[in-house]
Amino acid sequence: MDPMSARPSNLDPKIADRLKRDADGLVPAICQQYDTGEVLMLGWMDDEALHRTLTTGRCTYWSRSRQEYWVKGETSGHQQWVKSVALDCDADAILVKVDQVGAACHTGDRTCWDADVLDAVVGERPAEGS
């Protein structure tokens, strides 16, 4: 079954026609703190989740594990208040800038990248003229 026919949407067709979705009808949505640039989390949106995010001022995602919509902070109180929404150049990813209340990660961490930082060689940009 086509994933989009299973979950009808009120998303503006001008936006829906541009989206490049995965096989499940989803687009990754990167969530960023609007004033600091801190990357908070990555969630998944289908057309209806994007529509709800654009029209309610709250981030709505599609839960792949529960197969249902969820509004960030509805049960935890750790809400995301939308400040802007943009598609990337290929329309295969969404950037949502928010005002995050409390933790963004389901583990209770501020971001989903707080707990597992990997060792990596740090690169340096060459000096001008090199």
Side-chain angles (χ1 to χ4, degrees):
M1 173 185 272
D2 174 12
M4 298 319 300
S5 65
R7 298 188 302 265
S9 175
N10 293 308
L11 183 63
D12 181 336
K14 291 177 186 168
I15 298 170
D17 290 346
R18 295 173 55 202
L19 291 177
K20 293 182 184 147
R21 302 164 195 82
D22 71 6
D24 294 320
L26 301 172
V27 178
I30 301 160
C31 186
Q32 181 179 35
Q33 177 65 32
Y34 81 100
D35 54 353
T36 65
E38 180 180 33
V39 178
L40 300 169
M41 60 171 279
L42 178 123
W44 294 90
M45 291 185 181
D46 67 358
D47 289 25
E48 182 60 16
L50 179 55
H51 168 73
R52 293 179 189 187
T53 298
L54 291 169
T55 60
T56 66
R58 297 280 306 277
C59 284
T60 300
Y61 300 97
W62 176 255
S63 171
R64 296 178 300 166
S65 59
R66 296 188 313 268
Q67 293 291 294
E68 65 184 13
Y69 294 104
W70 57 280
V71 177
K72 183 68 175 173
E74 200 167 57
T75 57
S76 68
H78 298 166
Q79 302 161 341
Q80 292 175 344
W81 297 96
V82 175
K83 296 299 181 182
S84 68
V85 181
L87 296 178
D88 76 338
C89 59
D90 296 322
D92 62 359
I94 300 165
L95 176 62
V96 185
K97 293 186 179 184
V98 302
D99 189 7
Q100 176 71 46
V101 176
C105 187
H106 71 281
T107 64
D109 285 340
R110 170 73 180 163
T111 83
C112 293
W113 288 274
D114 285 345
D116 200 8
V117 178
L118 305 176
D119 288 332
V121 172
V122 177
E124 296 292 334
R125 181 194 326 206
E128 287 292 321
S130 297

